[in-house]
Amino acid sequence: RKTAVNFHYEFTVRHLANVFQGLLMSSVENFDDPVKLSRLWLHESERVYADRLVSVQDLANYNKSAQAVANKFFKIGDLADYYKKENPKPLIFSHFAGGLGDRVYNEVASFESLSKILEEALSEYNETNALMDLVLFEDALKHICRISRILSNPGGHALLVGVGGSGKQSLSKL
């Protein structure tokens, strides 16, 4: 709900269109399974709606609602594994899930594979630019995927908010 503190909690048809724009980044060859397409819908909804939420309680309410809607309309057997507190499965889709040369929007298999791909991208970046010494922990991996998704959309733009020195510029460069 939009309040004076959460003035950016205004969701319009444009936001729903952004979910569908994300769904349209997929290809028939990679999304022939309805369960995988359902997970993509969850991912895109999370990127459009949940990424704008600022409080832990609001995010918990969103996750509860998303799981309820997914259980009602989709048959995702391992849905709880994506929302559990300890070691959740990654609900992440990106254009580099299959490797840096593979520009297909697909599901990230694991944080380990994503970490390997992004470590490779970091070493490639460091070969041609000033050395960027980054520690790619799980949240950093998620943020890189979010930034990449935003910038790959036509007219994509983002306002990265955080304290100075938290890596906003470095993650964007990578």
Side-chain angles (χ1 to χ4, degrees):
R1 189 167 71 105
K2 184 177 174 183
T3 64
V5 175
N6 300 324
F7 60 91
H8 59 282
Y9 280 19
E10 183 172 56
F11 300 107
T12 63
V13 176
R14 177 180 288 161
H15 295 96
L16 184 61
N18 288 340
V19 172
F20 282 96
Q21 183 178 15
L23 291 172
L24 291 173
M25 287 193 286
S26 64
S27 62
V28 176
E29 298 81 30
N30 294 316
F31 289 86
D32 55 355
D33 178 22
V35 173
K36 187 175 180 182
L37 190 61
S38 301
R39 286 194 305 265
L40 176 62
W41 176 82
L42 275 172
H43 163 78
E44 293 300 329
S45 297
E46 194 170 306
R47 296 292 68 84
V48 170
Y49 297 111
D51 285 352
R52 286 177 169 78
L53 304 177
V54 294
S55 76
V56 174
Q57 182 61 41
D58 289 342
L59 188 58
N61 289 340
Y62 169 82
N63 287 338
K64 184 178 173 185
S65 297
Q67 288 180 67
V69 169
N71 282 327
K72 182 176 180 180
F73 295 105
F74 307 121
K75 302 297 179 230
I76 305 173
D78 58 348
L79 180 64
D81 293 343
Y82 295 99
Y83 290 96
K84 62 185 181 179
K85 298 271 187 220
E86 295 291 323
N87 297 324
K89 289 171 67 173
L91 184 58
I92 301 172
F93 289 76
S94 76
H95 285 100
F96 47 83
L100 294 177
D102 186 23
R103 295 290 305 160
V104 177
Y105 198 61
N106 211 343
E107 188 170 20
V108 171
S110 67
F111 285 116
E112 292 79 23
S113 66
L114 181 60
S115 177
K116 185 179 174 184
I117 291 167
L118 292 177
E119 289 286 347
E120 181 184 330
L122 180 60
S123 67
E124 280 184 26
Y125 179 88
N126 286 337
E127 288 175 6
T128 58
N129 299 295
L131 181 67
M132 193 166 49
D133 190 25
L134 290 178
V135 176
L136 296 176
F137 52 95
E138 193 173 297
D139 281 343
L141 299 175
K142 290 178 183 178
H143 287 309
I144 292 170
C145 291
R146 288 176 179 137
I147 293 167
S148 172
R149 178 191 169 275
I150 291 167
L151 296 178
S152 66
N153 284 331
H157 59 280
L159 175 63
L160 302 178
V161 179
V163 297
S166 62
K168 300 177 298 291
Q169 189 175 24
S170 299
L171 294 181
S172 298
K173 286 179 181 179
L174 183 59

